[in-house]
């Protein structure tokens, strides 16, 4: 049975690259009916923090991943590492240096890594110095405890980032010394930033947490990460986790680095938002509004649903929705200067607003149709195009030049607020 693991160090938030590694391991386990474990690499007691671990676990669950068995904490296994190191010491392949235990690397040997993604990669031990197993402070060195754990957990496939490739020959030496079965290795080409350099803070948001905050949906992020370096074929770009479980195979992964492209992710996210039912989308929008300090209760259930439908196709992220619809939830909405300059700086624009407001005031029923009809009537009377009324009105009530259909916006906002804002803008 395939057994894979994701081994985060809880020294920071979940980086997109790590999230991708976790996802690919999970997909491979679920595709093969195998098991996916989590191992917490918290040997660095100073930098490891429970708050990071909690966030990592929350983010993995948020993306739709689950794991098998209990978490393994390296901090709780120091005795095992010492025992294993002493076994190697006993076999004469290591020596002590003070309190440290060091593995003696045999010179001039070739070590071949048969990598599933990259093929055969050969290393020479002349390039590898003797390897610390246990440091003088009693803590294990990364390459050693990683092997002790992978062997103890019976890990069959190690899928991890390319940046670990140089660790692999050292780890292979430890497998030999511990007389453990070698797993298969697949080193995943790293994810680069848009400029081709390793994806880092410099490129902007790099943690799952930040994308969650921006209002990227978990399914869209997972979908995007899956597509980097792997394709379901037929130019398909939208794929759910469950479909990817069916189709994904690690051996189909390309050995080229991929570039992380924010715009592509946002495009995918927009597709996911568009395809959600209002029933699914509404709770997410309400949650986001709350995060931004707005109360969704200013609109009743029907109007909130109407708003969702009217804007669902217009936004790439949940935050985009909140920014674009702020005028429905606060009087302190974002006001675009250019709209005011273009449509409301002249007396003519203001006069149109006053006249339209007068017509709207007279409406007994403030329905989309009645609002639109009032606009058409005014346009006829003045022999002007409806657009000459629509543009200044939209800016007056929303501060924006874009948005949903004006008449729907006005209906959702309600007669009182609409008139208030139109009159204010006309002054
Ligand atoms: N803790 C290591 C990391 O976060 C794990 C490396 C591995 O998968 O072997 O990069």
């Amino acid at each position: 049975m395939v057994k894979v693991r994701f081994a985060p160090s809880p020294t920071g938030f979940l980086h997109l690259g790590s999230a991708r590694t976790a996802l690919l391991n999970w997909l491979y386990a679920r595709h093969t009916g195998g098991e996916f474990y989590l191992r917490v690499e918290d040997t660095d007691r100073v930098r490891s923090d429970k708050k990071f671990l909690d966030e990592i676990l929350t983010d993995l669950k948020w993306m739709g991943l689950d794991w098998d068995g209990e978490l393994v904490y390296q901090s709780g296994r120091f005795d095992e590492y010492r025992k294993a190191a002493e076994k190697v010491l006993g076999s004469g392949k290591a020596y002590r240096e003070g309190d440290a235990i060091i593995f003696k690397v045999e010179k001039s040997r070739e070590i071949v890594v048969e990598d599933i993604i990259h093929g055969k990669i050969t290393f020479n031990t002349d390039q590898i110095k003797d390897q610390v197993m246990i440091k003088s402070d009693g803590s294990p060195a990364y390459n050693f405890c990683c092997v002790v754990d992978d062997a103890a957990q019976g890990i069959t496939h190690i899928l991890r980032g390319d940046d670990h490739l140089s660790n692999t020959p050292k780890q292979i030496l430890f497998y030999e010394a511990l007389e453990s079965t070698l797993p298969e290795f697949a080193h995943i080409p790293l994810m680069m930033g848009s400029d081709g350099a390793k994806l880092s803070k410099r490129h902007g948001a790099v943690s799952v947490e930040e994308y969650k905050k921006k209002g990227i949906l978990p399914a869209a992020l997972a979908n995007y990460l899956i597509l980097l370096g792997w394709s379901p074929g037929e130019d398909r770009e939208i794929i759910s986790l469950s479909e990817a479980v069916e189709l994904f195979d690690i051996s189909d992964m390309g050995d080229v680095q991929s570039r992380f492209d924010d715009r592509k992710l946002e495009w995918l996210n927009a597709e996911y938002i568009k395809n959600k039912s209002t029933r699914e989308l509404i709770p997410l929008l309400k949650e986001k509004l709350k995060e931004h300090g707005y109360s969704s209760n200013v609109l009743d259930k029907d109007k909130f649903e109407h708003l969702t439908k009217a804007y669902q196709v217009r936004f790439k992220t949940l935050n985009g929705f909140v920014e674009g619809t702020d005028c429905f939830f606060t009087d302190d909405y974002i006001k675009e200067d250019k709209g005011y300059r273009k449509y409301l700086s002249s007396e003519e624009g203001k006069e149109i607003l006053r006249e339209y407001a007068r017509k709207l005031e007279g409406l007994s029923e403030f329905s989309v149709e009645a609002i639109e009809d009032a606009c058409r009537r005014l346009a006829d009377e003045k022999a002007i195009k409806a657009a000459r009324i629509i543009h200044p009105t939209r800016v007056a009530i929303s501060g924006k030049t874009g948005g949903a259909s004006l008449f729907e916006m006005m209906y959702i906002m309600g007669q009182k607020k609409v008139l208030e804002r139109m009159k204010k803008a006309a002054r």
Side-chain angles (χ1 to χ4, degrees), residues 5 7-9 41 142 146 160 164:
R5 75 339 185 242
S9 309
E41 304 213 316
Y142 161 70
C146 181
R160 62 182 169 204
H164 283 287

Side-chain angles (χ1 to χ4, degrees), residues 148-425:
V148 172
D149 289 340
D150 284 334
Q153 289 185 276
I155 300 301
T156 59
H157 293 74
I158 294 184
L159 279 47
R160 62 182 169 204
D162 249 352
D163 47 342
H164 283 287
L165 195 50
S166 61
N167 287 325
T168 304
K170 300 167 192 166
Q171 295 188 359
I172 289 176
L173 290 172
F174 287 140
Y175 277 98
E176 290 174 2
L178 294 167
E179 292 171 357
S180 298
T181 321
L182 210 59
E184 303 226 30
F185 291 95
H187 289 91
I188 304 157
L190 291 188
M191 192 160 77
M192 300 295 171
S194 49
D195 56 356
K198 189 174 168 183
L199 188 67
S200 72
K201 269 262 146 261
R202 205 161 52 76
H203 295 101
V206 288
S207 69
V208 170
E209 155 85 9
E210 286 165 292
Y211 282 90
K212 196 198 287 184
K213 276 213 184 101
K214 275 192 190 184
I216 295 288
L217 300 177
L221 183 61
N223 189 151
Y224 182 70
L225 293 175
I226 291 170
L227 289 186
L228 289 177
W230 180 77
S231 158
E234 296 155 14
D235 291 333
R236 265 188 78 184
E237 302 208 276
I238 308 274
I239 183 163
S240 67
L241 273 185
S242 54
E243 287 171 296
V245 163
E246 290 290 311
L247 299 171
F248 178 79
D249 200 322
I250 196 75
S251 57
D252 297 336
M253 284 209 60
D255 66 355
V256 285
Q257 289 170 340
S258 47
R259 287 194 185 193
F260 186 82
D261 178 356
D262 250 318
R263 292 224 304 275
K264 179 81 183 277
L265 171 59
E266 291 199 349
W267 171 79
L268 259 179
N269 200 53
E271 292 297 305
Y272 275 86
I273 290 178
K274 259 183 239 169
N275 292 324
K276 277 215 174 298
S277 67
T278 39
R279 201 169 50 85
E280 288 173 304
L281 196 53
I282 284 172
L284 302 176
L285 296 177
K286 289 192 169 174
E287 173 89 31
K288 268 287 158 204
L289 285 164
K290 199 165 142 199
E291 257 175 58
H292 285 77
Y294 299 141
S295 161
S296 51
N297 293 338
V298 280
L299 298 181
D300 67 23
K301 192 168 163 289
D302 284 347
K303 286 198 165 176
F304 198 90
E305 194 174 326
H306 202 127
L307 181 77
T308 305
K309 285 205 181 106
Y311 279 87
Q312 184 166 9
V313 294
R314 301 191 138 74
F315 289 102
K316 295 196 168 76
T317 64
L318 300 177
N319 279 6
F321 174 89
V322 174
E323 280 157 25
T325 61
D326 60 350
C327 58
F328 295 95
F329 303 100
T330 174
D331 288 326
D332 200 17
Y333 46 89
I334 302 166
K335 299 182 177 74
E336 296 170 8
D337 275 348
K338 74 166 198 280
Y340 284 88
R341 253 184 281 121
K342 190 157 175 201
Y343 300 113
L344 291 170
S345 57
S346 69
E347 187 47 41
E348 189 212 332
K350 290 182 181 170
E351 179 55 23
I352 289 176
L353 273 190
R354 280 191 284 270
E355 288 176 67
Y356 189 23
R358 234 172 279 137
K359 284 223 168 349
L360 294 171
E361 231 156 7
L363 296 180
S364 53
E365 189 207 11
F366 204 66
S367 64
V368 177
E369 297 72 29
I371 297 166
E372 174 162 7
D373 182 59
C375 173
R376 305 282 168 213
R377 273 188 284 127
L378 180 63
D380 283 349
E381 281 166 33
K382 293 178 69 80
I384 56 172
K385 287 214 170 85
R388 296 261 302 277
I389 306 169
I390 291 173
H391 294 311
T393 308
R394 186 196 297 281
V395 175
I397 67 163
S398 71
K400 296 168 191 45
T401 50
S405 135
L406 174 69
F407 309 122
E408 287 187 59
M409 287 172 69
M410 295 168 86
Y411 159 73
I412 297 165
M413 203 171 274
Q415 194 166 17
K416 185 165 162 273
K417 187 135 274 181
V418 164
L419 289 173
E420 228 171 71
R421 289 183 181 174
M422 287 175 77
K423 287 178 185 167
K424 189 168 169 210

